[in-house]
Structure formats: C-alpha cells, structure tokens
Amino acid sequence: MRVGWRGLLGVLMVAGLVSPAAGRADVAPGDVITTANAEKVKDLVSPGMYWCVQHGWPMKIVEPKSVPWPELYKQATEKYSGQVKLGEDRLTMKGYVAGMPFPNVDAADKDAAIKIMHNFNYRVDMAHDDLDLRNFDADTGPISTDQPLQVERHFLIDHFRRLWYVSRLYVDPKPELPNPDGIHYKETLHPLLEPFDLKGVGFTYYRYLDPARQDDSWLYMPSLRRVRRLSTAQRSDALFGQDTDQDSYGGYAGQIAWSTWKFIGEGEALGAFHAEHFPVKWADGAANWAFDDVWEKRKVWIIEGESKLPQYAYSKRVIYIDKETYAALYSDMYDRAGELWKIWVNDFSWKNEAFPGAKPSYQEITPFLPAIVMVDMQLNHATKASLPSHRFPGETGWYFHQGDKEGTTEDQFTIAELINSGR
C-alpha cells in the first residue's frame, strides 16, 4: 500500500480511489525550495518537515544517488539473513549474527513493521564496531521567520562513544565481544565542556539484547557530586534546556519493545543524504537553525511507533526510513494529546572521508553526518548541532571501528570513567 501524507488526498489514496501520483506536488533536480514555494514538497516530506520548510528551511533538489553497502556488511547479510527468524514474541530474533536481518521486506507481511525496525536497529549507518564522535557543539534557542536563532545556551561536547558487542565485522573479537550479560551496545556522552555551569556533566547507558530488560542509564552531575540513575521513560526527556532527548538520537534510539509498531506505508520522501558541506553550512538569516544543503528523493518506509510507557514524553513517533540503507530521514514526534510536537532531522554525507585529506579515511563509503537538528514546533524552538564544531578546523569528528587505536574501549563506559572525566 502506498499512502499519502495528509488531507483528503491521503484518505483517498488509502481507500484506493486516487492513484499516488494524482494531484501530488512534486519537485525536480535543480529546484530550489523556499517558503514561497513550499507547497512543492508538501507530499514529499513529513508533516514536521513541511512545517520546517514553511518556516524557512531551504532545500536544493538534486538527482538521487545510490548508497553502496559496505562489503563486509553485504557479505554478512548474504551469509546470515536466510537463517534469521522472528521469535515468538515478535520482538527478538533467532539466528541473527551480523548484517541486515531482513533484506527483503514485503509490505504485505503482517510482520513488516517489526522487521523494518529490526533492520533499522542494524542499519547500514550503524555497521561499525565502535564509534567516537569528537569535538561537536550545539546551539539552542527560539526561532522565528523574522530573526536568526536566539542562542539561549551553547554546548560543547568532548566525546560521544558507542561500543557494539554484537554484529561486529571489523575489529577483533568478531562477531561478538565476550558478552555474559547479553549487551547489545554501550554508549556514553561525556564530558560536557560548555556551558560552564554544566562542565563535566555526562551520561552512560547500556542497551541489552533482551527486550524485556530495561536500559541501565546513569547521569553524572559534578555540581551535585553524584551519579543519578535514569529510568527508561526519562530517556525521552529533553535535558538542560535544549530540545533533544536520548531516545530520539538518529531518529529513534530506544528499544523496539518500548513501542507498538505499525506499518503506515511506503513511497518517496526528500532526504538530505549526500550533503556537500563538511563541516555543516547553516542557512542564512532567520533560517540559520536549519542546515543548507542538497536534498534528494528517497524510497522510504513509513513506520509509526506508539509508546507503551505511561510516563513517556511522546505518545508516538513516525519515522521515515530509507529503503536502501534503513537510516532515518527524519522522525516526527507527537505529544500525549496526539498533536505534532517535535522533529529530528538527519544530515547525511556518505563518502570515504569526511573531507579531502581527512584522517582516518575509509576504503568504503562511510556515513558521516555534518549536522542534526531537533525542532519543537509547539514552542518555536530548535537545537542545532555541528558534527564536528567549526571551532576545530581540520577535525574529522567521526571515528569508526578504530578500537584501541582511538581509545574506544570497554573502560570508557564505566561509572568510574564517567566521574573521572567530569572532574
């Protein structure tokens, strides 16, 4: 089923009374989208993304380009996907080792939504054994169509690290680290370097393979000299006056089991998949909360996740997932009353090196992200992050499957390290 995005056209398409192409706005390579002609993209973006375009987010439309899978990821998919099956709970997988679990999803499959989400969990841009994102910053504040983002707070972060325990393809041991506790991955963000009143703050959490097991999450607050344990529901809370939350990283970073997933449809959507600027170029004038780069049509799955957690900030989120890579173009979040609230937008740049001469470089196409943006449409507020910061000329920012060479080791994910790095 191919589903429209809004209004009467969407209703008629669901009913099969109108063909998907009938009456749809459309774009072509070479088009430049502004607030003046935002209608041209209304059927090619999510409701949240359309709001952004209406409020100044510029789009330069280019020809779509394919994203080749990393060779080891492709080989693992071919080798193991045939043996992968859903468990009886429809949340776990049997026979999964590495690569994409379900490379041939059928939209008519009653389990299509959950299979797509399993693919999203092990998507192409996550096909690395470890990750270290360094020296990045973020600004947060109110936005309008009259003046640039008014910076309320500026954040500078030293490291964001992730260490995968399973589906490892590059760094020994492969395909799994010694894993008696059944860990999926560990992740840490620490320490904050700015603003001054948050200097040394950081968090660490462990994600488990067992969908019934909650994350172990800790937040360190140097000003209080204490480590605070976080609940799963608190992962949806925006901390320190900005807009992002842990569960929205990448479009969705929560456990599959925390939501009920529904297949909404498939179609085409515009995504920022081959950014030309690194580091990021922010838009001019009042739209400087949005990155200014090229957008292309992508084939997508549209999946809705309704939260099962009573204290969770969002009632649901709708994720636009690229069919080729299973990365999220963007993710719309809705409040507990069912009203559109926030959007997370990814800015992808698939290439061998962050910029000419950058170290490390990679033999295969690698998913660098020059920027991410989170917008609160209800408050006219945004958080924009430069990955890496412009304050560090020549910084690659992204370091993939480097292991011991770049210090992304198990001892980086302990509470002791969280405290020590914040002192």
Side-chain angles (χ1 to χ4, degrees):
M1 177 175 65
R2 184 170 177 130
V3 180
W5 276 271
R6 61 179 57 79
L8 178 60
L9 178 60
V11 174
L12 294 175
M13 287 168 65
V14 172
L17 300 177
V18 176
S19 68
R24 293 184 74 230
D26 203 359
V27 295
D31 286 350
V32 176
I33 304 302
T34 66
T35 54
N37 61 351
E39 283 283 313
K40 289 176 68 70
V41 302
K42 70 183 180 67
D43 297 316
L44 290 168
V45 293
S46 73
M49 195 67 234
Y50 187 50
W51 184 98
C52 291
V53 176
Q54 288 179 307
H55 288 75
W57 194 308
M59 288 183 169
K60 300 173 184 175
I61 310 302
V62 296
E63 288 280 359
K65 294 190 292 187
S66 181
V67 178
W69 285 11
E71 188 59 32
L72 291 180
Y73 182 85
K74 180 180 177 182
Q75 291 175 7
T77 301
E78 293 170 349
K79 182 176 181 180
Y80 298 117
S81 62
Q83 68 189 38
V84 181
K85 300 183 184 305
L86 289 176
E88 293 181 2
D89 60 3
R90 322 314 283 170
L91 297 173
T92 54
M93 293 187 295
K94 297 179 179 179
Y96 178 75
V97 177
M100 187 169 288
F102 303 103
N104 300 304
V105 176
D106 183 348
D109 186 344
K110 63 180 177 61
D111 292 318
I114 198 67
K115 288 180 178 179
I116 290 168
M117 290 309 298
H118 278 299
N119 287 347
F120 177 76
N121 256 3
Y122 294 96
R123 59 194 183 269
V124 176
D125 68 301
M126 300 283 268
H128 44 257
D129 299 349
D130 53 73
L131 160 68
D132 181 8
L133 171 59
R134 303 178 188 171
N135 297 321
F136 60 103
D137 62 9
D139 289 323
T140 190
I143 60 175
S144 73
T145 56
D146 300 320
Q147 58 184 343
L149 181 144
Q150 303 300 293
V151 179
E152 295 172 336
R153 309 215 72 177
H154 173 77
F155 300 85
L156 179 64
I157 301 95
D158 197 10
H159 289 275
F160 173 84
R161 290 186 172 100
R162 183 186 294 120
L163 178 64
W164 286 76
Y165 276 66
V166 297
S167 66
R168 296 170 59 84
L169 297 171
Y170 297 92
V171 182
D172 288 328
K174 299 174 286 190
E176 186 171 356
L177 285 170
N179 198 10
D181 294 325
I183 292 170
H184 186 181
Y185 58 83
K186 293 182 179 180
E187 199 163 87
T188 187
L189 185 151
H190 71 262
L192 267 66
L193 304 177
E194 297 175 5
F196 179 78
D197 61 318
L198 295 176
K199 185 176 176 61
V201 166
F203 67 77
T204 290
Y205 76 91
Y206 302 167
R207 171 66 47 79
Y208 295 95
L209 294 168
D210 182 356
R213 187 170 180 179
Q214 300 298 308
D215 287 356
D216 284 323
S217 300
W218 301 273
L219 174 70
Y220 176 56
M221 302 287 291
S223 61
L224 302 177
R225 296 183 180 179
R226 61 178 294 228
V227 175
R228 175 185 168 195
R229 188 86 179 236
L230 299 178
S231 71
T232 296
Q234 287 175 297
R235 286 178 53 88
S236 62
D237 293 342
L239 300 175
F240 313 128
Q242 48 84 57
D243 302 281
T244 70
D245 59 277
Q246 285 179 281
D247 260 12
S248 293
Y249 291 174
Y252 181 62
Q255 176 65 271
I256 289 178
W258 299 342
S259 293
T260 300
W261 299 99
K262 179 181 178 182
F263 181 81
I264 300 299
E266 57 185 317
E268 283 187 328
L270 292 172
F273 250 59
H274 290 93
E276 295 178 344
H277 300 285
F278 194 99
V280 61
K281 176 187 177 184
W282 297 108
D284 295 327
N288 75 329
W289 49 274
F291 53 81
D292 184 2
D293 222 304
V294 296
W295 294 70
E296 64 190 75
K297 287 183 180 179
R298 305 293 302 181
K299 302 291 186 182
V300 296
W301 302 112
I302 309 164
I303 305 297
E304 177 186 288
E306 183 177 347
S307 177
K308 299 176 183 177
L309 306 175
Q311 303 302 317
Y312 206 67
Y314 310 120
S315 63
K316 66 178 181 179
R317 72 180 72 228
V318 180
I319 313 175
Y320 289 67
I321 298 175
D322 180 62
K323 283 189 176 184
E324 185 175 38
T325 64
Y326 280 81
L329 281 58
Y330 22 77
S331 178
D332 285 356
M333 280 75 78
Y334 292 76
D335 64 19
R336 300 302 298 186
E339 298 296 323
L340 183 62
W341 182 10
K342 294 183 180 182
I343 183 173
W344 175 285
V345 188
N346 284 321
D347 180 26
F348 280 104
S349 182
W350 302 83
K351 48 194 176 183
N352 296 87
E353 54 189 5
F355 51 85
K359 301 295 182 185
S361 61
Y362 303 89
Q363 293 182 343
E364 299 178 313
I365 297 298
T366 301
F368 298 95
L369 278 84
I372 61 90
V373 177
M374 186 98 160
V375 182
D376 184 328
M377 281 82 76
Q378 295 185 7
L379 293 181
N380 288 325
H381 201 270
T383 298
K384 63 174 188 175
S386 302
L387 316 171
S389 168
H390 292 81
R391 290 167 58 178
F392 299 89
E395 172 61 77
T396 298
W398 296 87
Y399 298 81
F400 299 103
H401 45 76
Q402 298 295 300
D404 291 346
K405 289 188 294 184
E406 297 293 346
T408 305
T409 55
E410 290 187 89
D411 58 7
Q412 289 291 329
F413 300 84
T414 64
I415 295 176
E417 177 61 25
L418 186 65
I419 295 172
N420 289 336
S421 71
R423 287 176 176 168

